[in-house]
Amino acid sequence: APHKVVTWLRELAGAFHGFFADCYVVADSVEPDLRDARLAVVEAARIGLAGGLEILGVSAPEQM
């Protein structure tokens, strides 16, 4: 059921967009521990999005 993977990817992308819009990840005002935690969230989202797109057979850029 590819539509379930697509739905999951859209929800993940939407949640990540909200997080990234609301939270500074790398900034002078962000404490190192918080920065590291937020970078872990970014990496987890990257892994999830890449894996979902791979399941669907869709290529994604390595960098933007």
Side-chain angles (χ1 to χ4, degrees):
H3 70 282
K4 290 184 180 183
V5 177
V6 172
T7 299
W8 183 83
L9 285 169
R10 289 186 61 183
E11 290 175 359
L12 175 59
F16 180 74
H17 176 76
F19 162 78
F20 200 73
D22 293 341
C23 300
Y24 290 109
V25 177
V26 179
D28 292 336
S29 62
V30 178
E31 296 294 324
D33 289 342
L34 182 57
R35 178 201 63 219
D36 292 345
R38 289 177 178 175
L39 284 171
V41 171
V42 171
E43 178 65 5
R46 184 197 68 78
I47 291 168
L49 290 168
L53 291 173
E54 185 177 338
I55 289 169
L56 295 173
V58 177
S59 62
E62 290 291 323
Q63 284 185 316
M64 297 210 52

